Amino acid sequence: MNDGYDEQYYYLMRLMQRLLKCPDGLYEGYVLYVISSINKSNVSKYREYIANLDDDIRVGLEEYINNEMN
């Protein structure tokens, strides 16, 4: 199998597993983040959602996402 495919597959699986643990207040944003990671045509929906969030929730969501990626 192609190593690039394997890496992307495992990355998406980690995103989906993390979805199950996502705090309630961040759930909708994280779902949109996962969808935009799978289908790049949905990135604008995610960005629009993020732009309309309160600062505290936006920061929490960004921290949740960044903690997973590190």
Side-chain angles (χ1 to χ4, degrees), residues 4-65:
Y5 174 79
D6 290 339
E7 184 177 315
Q8 181 68 13
Y9 172 77
Y10 289 118
Y11 170 76
L12 293 173
M13 289 304 294
R14 281 195 323 267
L15 288 178
M16 297 301 286
Q17 289 173 343
R18 189 109 161 126
L19 182 61
L20 298 173
K21 301 174 188 174
C22 189
D24 290 339
L26 307 178
Y27 189 78
E28 289 177 358
Y30 192 73
V31 167
L32 286 173
Y33 175 77
V34 171
I35 290 170
S36 69
S37 296
I38 295 169
N39 184 348
K40 299 299 181 193
S41 66
N42 291 309
V43 170
S44 63
K45 292 177 186 174
Y46 171 71
R47 289 183 181 151
E48 180 181 332
Y49 178 83
I50 290 296
N52 292 318
L53 284 177
D54 293 336
D55 289 339
D56 292 339
I57 296 174
R58 184 181 318 114
V59 168
L61 179 59
E62 290 172 355
E63 287 176 359
Y64 188 76
I65 291 168

